[in-house]
Amino acid sequence: MNLLGIEAFLAIVEAQSLSKAAEKLFLTQSTISNRLNVLENQLNTKLVERSQGQRFITLTSEGEEFISIAKRWMALQRDTEFWINKESPFKLSIGSVDSLNSHVFIEIYKKIMQKETSFELNISSHWSNTIFDLLESYEIDIGLVPRLIKTNSLLSKPIFSERLVFISNPNFSNYDDFVHPEYLSVKKEIFLDWGGNFKIWHDSLWDPTDSIEIVVDTTRLIFEFIDRPDAWSIVPESIAHSYKEIQPLKISEFVKPPPERICYKVIHRDPLPKITEPLKIFESYLLKYIENNPFLTKI
């Protein structure tokens, strides 16, 4: 199979343009076009519709079908390079969101590296939709996400749930142990979106058009701002307790609690053979950690 043509095809799919695909691969547009032609001739089918003056390309039905096959070819190419270079047989690439990587799974990663001397971990933090894209292209082996995206090429399974709790700094506020949401000022909230069900719950209690003083996209920023007068926020229970060990923090419960955050394990429907053993090892550590963590409920 023509790997240069496959690389060009995937670049075209991602960029939706021959010229932008050429820029991405540092090639001329004519080279990209020639590589695509060679691939189409080899496959005896047309993958991309090309019209004069058309700004964006359109894939044929065969082109749409070939995307997943092309991604597998490129993944096999990477595996071959790993094998030639005699890289560790126990290598696993994991993608998760920052709040899970930094506060929940960090202990698992540390234990694996302490006990599995031949194990190599590649850990990265991304938004959930990016993790799904990386899984589909075989750039990571397993995703651990709090949000699901519909796709036919990946398998998703819920692995644990976790309560969301109310937090404040007792040096700058005086909230009760049990908090009634209707008595809270949303203008004092440090808001982080914990998913669709959380947003529905939140909007049912506070007018979504009301201004929130601070909106953040990482948990670290919540704890940078929690020392403001009467500031409050909502975070997963395990994160709240981890920060309570290093700074003043009061953890309260809601009288009308939000839905629990669910974490899902996502893998490719057709995983590469090289990840079978390292994935088993990782999942054994993951399962043990969930069972022994008082703030996580196994699903």
Side-chain angles (χ1 to χ4, degrees):
M1 184 61 66
N2 183 349
L3 290 175
L4 292 178
I6 290 176
E7 180 186 44
F9 170 72
L10 289 175
I12 293 167
V13 170
E14 182 179 344
Q16 293 293 296
S17 160
L18 268 71
S19 60
K20 291 188 180 300
E23 290 177 8
K24 179 182 177 181
L25 297 179
F26 302 100
L27 299 170
T28 64
Q29 185 170 336
S30 61
T31 300
I32 286 287
S33 183
N34 288 336
R35 289 183 180 183
L36 178 61
N37 288 335
V38 171
L39 178 64
E40 288 178 327
N41 290 334
Q42 186 177 14
L43 297 173
N44 195 29
T45 190
K46 192 173 185 179
L47 301 174
V48 178
E49 297 284 1
R50 304 185 283 284
S51 302
Q52 188 70 29
Q54 184 177 347
R55 185 175 179 184
F56 297 105
I57 60 94
T58 302
L59 295 179
T60 64
S61 59
E62 290 81 4
E64 294 283 358
E65 293 172 357
F66 187 66
I67 292 175
S68 62
I69 298 174
K71 288 179 177 179
R72 290 203 296 274
W73 269 103
M74 295 307 296
L76 288 171
Q77 169 67 11
R78 289 194 295 270
D79 278 358
T80 302
E81 292 174 357
F82 291 155
W83 178 78
I84 292 172
N85 295 325
K86 305 301 181 186
E87 295 195 16
S88 170
F90 295 106
K91 185 173 184 177
L92 195 68
S93 295
I94 303 167
S96 189
V97 295
D98 178 71
S99 62
L100 289 173
N101 263 345
S102 300
H103 303 289
V104 179
F105 299 132
I106 187 65
E107 294 303 320
I108 302 175
Y109 302 149
K110 287 180 179 179
K111 286 183 179 179
I112 290 176
M113 300 314 295
Q114 287 170 356
K115 297 184 178 181
E116 306 292 337
T117 55
S118 62
F119 209 102
E120 291 185 22
L121 283 180
N122 186 335
I123 304 163
S124 56
S125 296
H126 311 276
W127 298 113
S128 292
N129 58 341
T130 302
I131 291 170
F132 276 77
D133 290 340
L134 293 172
L135 282 165
E136 287 191 326
S137 62
Y138 290 92
E139 293 179 64
I140 60 175
D141 304 315
I142 180 172
L144 300 164
V145 297
R147 302 170 190 251
L148 287 181
I149 297 172
K150 188 175 180 180
T151 172
N152 293 326
S153 60
L154 304 178
L155 297 174
S156 305
K157 178 182 178 181
I159 52 177
F160 70 79
S161 63
E162 182 176 12
R163 294 196 312 157
L164 294 174
V165 296
F166 178 96
I167 61 167
S168 59
N169 187 320
N171 295 333
F172 295 88
S173 57
N174 188 29
Y175 291 107
D176 294 333
D177 293 335
F178 290 88
V179 177
H180 293 263
E182 56 265 36
Y183 299 143
L184 295 171
S185 170
V186 75
K187 293 183 179 181
K188 295 294 184 180
E189 181 181 14
I190 305 164
F191 179 84
L192 196 156
D193 185 356
W194 296 108
N197 290 334
F198 169 78
K199 192 68 166 57
I200 292 171
W201 171 86
H202 195 277
D203 289 349
S204 71
L205 295 168
W206 297 284
D207 187 341
T209 63
D210 285 348
S211 61
I212 297 174
E213 188 175 34
I214 302 174
V215 177
V216 299
D217 63 356
T218 67
T219 53
R220 184 184 65 80
L221 288 174
I222 291 177
F223 296 96
E224 292 290 336
F225 292 113
I226 200 65
D227 59 356
R228 297 167 66 85
D230 296 324
W232 59 274
S233 190
I234 303 171
V235 300
E237 191 173 16
S238 63
I239 295 176
H241 282 274
S242 68
Y243 270 96
K244 190 176 182 180
E245 296 178 0
I246 59 177
Q247 72 179 83
L249 198 68
K250 180 170 183 177
I251 302 173
S252 305
E253 295 187 25
F254 282 103
V255 174
K256 298 177 182 178
E260 295 189 354
R261 179 169 78 154
I262 297 175
C263 178
Y264 301 87
K265 176 188 74 175
V266 188
I267 60 173
H268 208 282
R269 187 179 294 275
D270 185 21
L272 298 174
K274 73 181 179 72
I275 74 163
T276 301
E277 285 305 313
L279 189 58
K280 284 181 181 178
I281 294 172
F282 175 76
E283 289 180 335
S284 68
Y285 279 90
L286 177 62
L287 180 61
K288 187 178 295 184
Y289 177 79
I290 294 171
E291 291 175 341
N292 293 330
N293 191 304
F295 306 117
L296 308 182
T297 301
K298 179 184 172 185
I299 299 178

